[in-house]
């Protein structure tokens, strides 16, 4: 005969404490007491019913907000201190790509809702990545706010995969592009920008924010401690991407003479600017870069390709220069450099030769 799961108390009741799907102010699971005089089996049924209600999200903090409404609140609160470009990206995803969820309660979000948003952006891999990134963070916040049961996150996102977009920026310059760096008929401003991102490996914003005072031509080095970003067309100066971004880099001799002359001829402090202003707007940068692409005869060229080229060429100099030092020069983490370096090692691997040398020694 099976043993009863619950025993009757002195008061004649069978009872058990069960999680009701909510939390206390301190974050602990809130439990309620279920009682019955009938039997242990009857109490077991009551416990099962409560657990089923929790799984179905029937016992949570009531929220009338839709997924889109809650996402806007999440952006305002959780991403308050994020960079402007980051908040702009999230706002676009919420306003445009989560509009289909403006009538879906956040407490009722299902996997089909996520897939519907992703399918609507079919063919736009980067947009799909951003939609999934946004929804995952929004649902996590809703769990924290007790509008969604913890297990629902896995239920909603388990098995959803996005095909990763191939990053065309992760390549070095072609031989033709390298030759064009020093042979193209650039304007002085175009040449200064190309020489800096080619010879110093700066990010686009770091280069655009440079001032004459950042150069130490006698010491052949350049100081990076700020970056230029855009709020639509309006430029503004911000800090570097991370604390690692504050650094000094050497200026190679093949670009130094021109940069020295260019800085000496400037009638203002900043190297790159829009006519009539002391800083460059986004529209002016777009024109500047379009001109560089045209003169280098490389329509798909990006500023980041120059940075990757800088990293790649430095990696070929290992062990003369360490991975740690390369990361410092780039203002980045060693992990990124290791990924580039491993790719170079794989290119140079000769398994046949290695086996011959190892076994015929």
């Amino acid at each position: 005969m099976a043993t009863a799961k619950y025993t009757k108390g002195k008061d004649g009741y069978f009872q058990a404490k069960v999680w009701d799907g909510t939390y206390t102010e301190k974050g602990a699971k809130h439990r309620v007491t279920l009682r019955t005089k009938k039997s242990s089996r009857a109490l077991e049924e009551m416990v099962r019913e409560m657990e089923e209600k929790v799984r179905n999200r029937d016992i949570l903090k009531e929220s009338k907000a839709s997924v889109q409404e809650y996402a806007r609140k999440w952006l305002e609160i959780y991403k308050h201190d994020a960079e402007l470009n980051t908040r702009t990206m999230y706002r676009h995803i919420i306003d445009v790509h989560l509009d289909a969820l403006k009538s879906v309660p956040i407490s009722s979000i299902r996997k089909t809702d996520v897939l519907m948003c992703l399918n609507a952006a079919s063919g736009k891999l980067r947009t799909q990545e951003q939609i999934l990134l946004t929804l995952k963070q929004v649902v996590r916040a809703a769990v924290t706010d007790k509008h969604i049961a913890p297990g629902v996150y896995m239920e909603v996102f388990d098995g959803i995969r996005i095909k990763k977009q191939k990053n065309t920026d992760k390549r070095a310059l072609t031989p033709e592009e390298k030759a064009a760096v020093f042979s193209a008929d650039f304007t002085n401003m175009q040449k200064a920008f190309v020489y800096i991102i080619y010879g110093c490996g700066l990010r686009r914003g770091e280069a655009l924010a440079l001032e004459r005072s950042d150069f130490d031509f006698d010491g052949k080095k350049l100081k990076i401690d700020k970056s230029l970003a855009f709020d639509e067309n309006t430029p503004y100066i911000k800090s570097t991407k991370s604390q690692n971004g504050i650094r000094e880099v050497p200026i190679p001799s093949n670009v130094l003479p021109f940069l020295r002359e260019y800085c000496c001829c400037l009638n203002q402090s900043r190297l790159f600017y829009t006519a009539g202003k002391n800083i460059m707007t986004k529209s002016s940068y777009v024109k500047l870069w379009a001109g560089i692409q045209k003169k280098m005869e490389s329509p798909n060229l990006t500023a980041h390709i120059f940075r990757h080229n800088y990293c790649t060429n430095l990696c070929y100099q290992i062990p003369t220069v360490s991975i740690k030092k390369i990361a410092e020069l780039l203002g980045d983490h060693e992990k990124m450099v290791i990924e580039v370096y491993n790719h170079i090692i794989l290119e140079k691997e000769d398994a046949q030769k290695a086996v011959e040398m190892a076994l015929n020694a």
Side-chain angles (χ1 to χ4, degrees):
M1 182 176 178
T3 304
K5 186 173 182 178
Y6 301 102
T7 57
K8 185 184 294 186
K10 292 181 179 180
D11 59 357
Y13 283 89
F14 295 89
Q15 69 177 40
K17 286 197 171 185
V18 185
W19 181 43
D20 66 359
T22 65
Y23 296 83
T24 66
E25 291 183 358
K26 293 184 178 180
K29 288 184 175 181
H30 182 268
R31 301 181 186 276
V32 294
T33 301
L34 302 181
R35 306 174 76 214
T36 180
K37 281 190 172 182
K38 291 183 179 179
S39 64
S40 173
R41 184 182 294 275
L43 181 57
E44 286 183 53
E45 184 60 31
M46 292 170 66
V47 170
R48 279 196 294 269
E49 287 179 3
M50 175 64 77
E51 290 173 344
E52 182 68 18
K53 286 182 179 181
V54 171
R55 279 194 295 271
N56 292 335
R57 293 177 271 181
D58 292 337
I59 310 176
L60 290 165
K61 285 185 180 179
E62 184 178 356
S63 175
K64 296 180 179 179
S66 69
V67 174
Q68 189 182 52
E69 289 170 339
Y70 182 81
R72 289 187 176 126
K73 180 182 178 183
W74 163 83
L75 177 61
E76 177 186 348
I77 297 173
Y78 283 78
K79 295 297 178 180
H80 178 75
D81 294 326
E83 291 284 353
L84 178 61
N85 288 348
T86 301
R87 285 188 281 114
T88 299
M89 180 275 288
Y90 282 125
R91 188 176 298 111
H92 172 74
I93 293 297
I94 292 168
D95 291 346
V96 177
H97 297 283
L98 300 193
D99 190 61
L101 305 183
K102 64 184 178 183
S103 300
V104 176
I106 184 64
S107 57
S108 300
I109 188 170
R110 297 289 188 270
K111 181 180 288 189
T112 52
D113 299 317
V114 176
L115 291 173
M116 180 174 61
C117 293
L118 294 174
N119 292 342
S122 179
K124 301 175 182 178
L125 298 182
R126 180 57 182 157
T127 301
Q128 287 184 321
E129 287 179 3
Q130 292 171 342
I131 291 170
L132 189 58
L133 172 70
T134 303
L135 282 172
K136 282 185 174 181
Q137 293 184 74
V138 167
V139 171
R140 282 197 195 102
V143 170
T144 301
D145 288 342
K146 316 302 185 287
H147 298 310
I148 296 178
V152 172
Y153 179 88
M154 285 297 297
E155 175 188 314
V156 170
F157 295 106
D158 186 43
I160 295 181
R161 300 287 183 271
I162 298 296
K163 183 180 179 182
K164 291 201 172 183
Q165 185 174 15
K166 186 177 180 180
N167 193 336
T168 56
D169 284 348
K170 287 192 175 182
R171 69 169 178 86
L173 293 170
T174 65
E176 294 77 16
E177 289 167 342
K178 287 181 182 178
V181 168
F182 297 100
S183 64
D185 184 25
F186 293 128
T187 66
N188 285 342
M189 189 181 291
Q190 289 172 340
K191 183 182 285 190
F193 187 74
V194 169
Y195 277 17
I196 287 168
I197 60 176
Y198 173 80
C200 301
L202 270 62
R203 299 176 177 91
R204 180 190 75 175
E206 293 171 343
L208 291 175
L210 288 174
E211 300 177 89
R212 286 185 297 180
S213 60
D214 295 321
F215 289 83
D216 176 3
F217 289 109
D218 293 334
K220 297 183 179 180
K221 57 188 178 182
L222 172 61
K223 178 183 68 179
I224 300 102
D225 60 4
K226 55 189 173 296
S227 182
L228 184 137
F230 302 106
D231 181 0
E232 296 183 347
N233 191 46
T234 304
Y236 65 95
I237 298 295
K238 63 170 190 170
S239 60
T240 55
K241 187 174 182 181
S242 68
Q243 191 62 30
N244 293 344
I246 300 174
R247 63 200 189 277
E248 284 189 343
V249 298
I251 306 173
S253 57
N254 59 349
V255 302
L256 188 145
F258 174 80
L259 292 175
R260 185 200 296 267
E261 181 182 356
Y262 179 76
C263 287
C264 288
C265 294
L266 288 171
N267 57 8
Q268 64 167 50
S269 63
R270 207 171 297 281
L271 271 69
F272 307 106
Y273 53 90
T274 297
K277 301 180 179 181
N278 68 346
I279 195 167
M280 180 165 280
T281 62
K282 185 174 183 179
S283 57
S284 292
Y285 172 73
V286 170
K287 291 177 183 177
L288 176 81
W289 189 253
I292 291 170
Q293 289 175 316
K294 183 176 181 181
K295 291 176 180 179
M296 291 186 67
E297 298 182 359
S298 183
N300 296 318
L301 187 65
T302 68
H304 193 78
I305 288 173
F306 280 84
R307 181 170 165 81
H308 193 76
N309 182 78
Y310 181 84
C311 180
T312 300
N313 283 292
L314 285 178
C315 284
Y316 277 112
Q317 302 305 313
I318 295 172
T320 303
V321 63
S322 68
I323 289 176
K324 181 178 180 180
K325 176 54 69 174
I326 295 173
E328 288 176 4
L329 292 173
L330 286 160
D332 216 318
H333 298 286
E334 291 180 44
K335 180 182 176 183
M336 182 276 292
V337 179
I338 291 171
E339 289 175 357
V340 175
Y341 182 59
N342 283 344
H343 180 69
I344 291 171
I345 293 298
L346 288 172
E347 283 183 350
K348 296 170 70 175
E349 274 186 351
D350 186 338
Q352 181 67 40
K353 183 178 179 179
V355 169
E356 293 289 345
M357 291 179 66
L359 301 181
N360 294 326

